[in-house]
Amino acid sequence: PHAGPVESKNEAAMSELVPEPRQKPVVPMKPTGINASLLGYIGIDTIIEQMRKKTMKTGFDFNIMVVGQSGLGKSTLVNTLFKSQVSRKSSGWNREEKIPKTVEIKAIGHVIEEGGVKMKLTVIDTPGFGDQINNENCWEPIEKYINEQYEKFLKEEVNIARKKRIPDTRVHCCLYFISPTGHSLRPLDLEFMKHLSKVVNIIPVIAKADTMTLEEKTEFKQRVRKELEVNGIEFYPQKEFDEDLEDKTENDKIRQESMPFAIVGSDKEYQVNGKRVLGRKTPWGIIEVENLNHCEFALLRDFVIRTHLQDLKEVTHNIHYETYRAKRLNGNGGLPPMTIETEENHESNL
């Protein structure tokens, strides 16, 4: 009859002891203890080199979209960004000819190589945005295009026999061109960015910034930032996706000082002090595109290519694509997705 309470006492004692062994494995995790006990070279430090070799073989994908009014130099800017004729098939026209007007959403793929690193670059050029008399819902074809690329990727992913490497046509970055009016953003700009900031990484840029004085430029940038904030428009790099304090500090600086980048694009070369530079010739001198005293083009290129390219791809995959994927599979009862056509009908029924 006394066995019951004794057992419960033992159980109580046991339960007190249970957490102890669980905490013990934490101790050897201290790196100092491990390093001290290494008796020779193992080669863990070659992991980075192994990854480098593997990724060098497969190459990289990067898909960039340009959106904005006609005549703001969207096609020219992309050529300037990559220092080559990437916004059109280069065989069709030469450097001296004027870039033809974009009349439809057109994706052009190129392979660019630099220092042994291959990048499959796709430039998605869009027709002048908001040029019509009635601009109601004119962002829809662009939104549809972005979602179609997610759909394509999703279809490949849910295949039973899926490819080892799914071709990635998803839009990693959308440069939104703002007209250099010096006033405020057009309602159309706000409407577009509100719709699309949820599905793609938007980077706002002020085009043809050489038309404004320095004071006008500073004032306009502040006004644009304020309007985006008031309208709750999140542009890239989004605050909530900063992973650590270092990222936050770096990105805050970009959000509060650089954005939107005031830029000038040009694919024409001129001689300045014996050096060849990309620039625009005016009666009072040459505006050097890559000179930070003249415009912020160099900052934009560093941001998009040299510091944040990988992050743009990751945010597209982990945030925008995941959101699309979850929505599609939920709405479809977790079944393989419908075709793009039925997807449109499905959306119109909602």
Side-chain angles (χ1 to χ4, degrees):
H2 297 291
V6 173
E7 268 173 27
S8 64
K9 261 186 196 170
N10 289 349
E11 276 168 21
M14 285 280 284
S15 65
E16 279 171 34
L17 292 172
V18 167
E20 276 308 304
R22 279 188 192 168
Q23 288 167 3
K24 276 182 184 171
V26 176
V27 182
M29 287 301 283
K30 285 182 182 171
T32 48
I34 294 175
N35 288 346
S37 64
L38 287 182
L39 299 174
Y41 175 66
I42 300 172
I44 302 167
D45 58 359
T46 63
I47 293 173
I48 301 290
E49 187 53 28
Q50 292 170 40
M51 288 163 75
R52 195 185 76 84
K53 274 186 184 161
K54 227 175 170 98
T55 45
M56 288 280 275
K57 273 181 198 164
T58 52
F60 301 88
D61 292 317
F62 187 58
N63 308 321
I64 186 167
M65 178 186 249
V66 285
V67 182
Q69 247 176 312
S70 279
L72 287 180
K74 299 187 291 294
S75 309
T76 305
L77 181 89
V78 180
N79 287 346
T80 321
L81 261 181
F82 296 97
K83 292 195 175 178
S84 53
Q85 306 289 4
V86 291
S87 69
R88 293 287 184 283
K89 282 270 188 279
S90 42
S91 56
W93 59 285
N94 63 36
R95 232 177 212 287
E96 302 312 310
E97 282 179 54
K98 208 168 174 288
I99 298 178
K101 188 177 173 180
T102 314
V103 288
E104 58 185 342
I105 297 180
K106 202 172 187 184
I108 292 168
H110 295 264
V111 175
I112 294 181
E113 193 171 337
E114 185 181 50
V117 178
K118 274 199 180 91
M119 182 162 84
K120 188 177 178 299
L121 171 76
T122 305
V123 176
I124 302 114
D125 216 338
T126 59
F129 176 74
D131 293 348
Q132 296 78 17
I133 294 168
N134 178 9
N135 290 309
E136 201 182 351
N137 298 350
C138 61
W139 56 82
E140 279 180 356
I142 296 167
E143 190 173 17
K144 181 168 164 262
Y145 179 89
I146 292 166
N147 282 331
E148 274 173 8
Q149 308 319 306
Y150 290 147
E151 181 69 28
K152 250 187 222 172
F153 196 88
L154 180 58
K155 278 177 118 171
E156 288 288 349
E157 216 179 34
V158 296
N159 272 349
I160 292 169
R162 61 182 180 182
K163 296 172 186 164
K164 189 181 167 194
R165 257 187 108 233
I166 299 171
D168 192 359
T169 59
R170 298 169 299 181
V171 181
H172 299 129
C173 168
C174 172
L175 291 178
Y176 188 83
F177 284 65
I178 296 164
S179 191
T181 57
H183 294 289
S184 49
L185 287 172
R186 300 178 303 162
L188 191 62
D189 296 329
L190 293 168
E191 205 59 45
F192 176 91
M193 288 192 256
K194 212 175 263 180
H195 275 85
L196 270 89
S197 59
K198 295 179 180 70
V199 294
V200 72
N201 293 318
I202 285 188
I203 298 175
V205 296
I206 298 166
K208 300 200 168 178
D210 51 335
T211 58
M212 294 190 286
T213 65
L214 291 173
E215 291 80 13
E216 283 171 346
K217 189 171 81 176
T218 312
E219 212 174 286
F220 188 44
K221 282 179 71 156
Q222 284 171 352
R223 197 172 296 153
V224 169
R225 277 199 295 270
K226 188 94 189 103
E227 286 190 15
L228 292 174
E229 196 183 319
V230 167
N231 287 279
I233 294 164
E234 280 277 319
F235 51 81
Y236 179 85
Q238 297 93 331
K239 283 191 188 106
E240 68 262 37
F241 307 149
D242 292 342
E243 284 180 5
D244 53 38
L245 197 62
E246 191 189 343
D247 278 4
K248 190 184 181 317
T249 315
E250 191 187 325
N251 289 342
D252 272 346
K253 196 167 182 284
I254 292 162
R255 282 187 286 259
Q256 288 155 18
E257 292 171 26
S258 310
M259 290 279 187
F261 297 97
I263 50 159
V264 179
S266 169
D267 45 14
K268 287 200 168 56
E269 285 187 341
Y270 295 98
Q271 286 277 2
V272 176
N273 302 332
K275 279 195 303 187
R276 295 190 72 75
V277 296
L278 286 171
R280 282 166 64 86
K281 197 170 188 174
T282 67
W284 47 87
I286 287 171
I287 292 150
E288 296 168 44
V289 165
E290 295 176 73
N291 184 337
L292 272 176
N293 297 324
H294 293 199
C295 78
E296 293 166 358
F297 172 78
L299 286 178
L300 173 71
R301 177 159 56 209
D302 284 359
F303 174 65
V304 172
I305 299 168
R306 295 177 191 176
T307 61
H308 284 68
L309 189 141
Q310 189 54 34
D311 190 57
L312 278 162
K313 292 180 66 167
E314 281 170 19
V315 172
T316 301
H317 182 74
N318 300 332
I319 311 290
H320 298 306
Y321 170 67
E322 277 305 309
T323 308
Y324 179 85
R325 183 179 163 278
K327 201 168 86 182
R328 282 290 283 108
L329 295 178
N330 270 337
N332 217 20
L335 297 168
M338 306 171 263
T339 61
I340 289 166
E341 287 75 46
T342 51
E343 156 73 350
E344 283 159 28
N345 301 338
H346 171 71
E347 279 181 358
S348 60
N349 293 336
L350 290 177

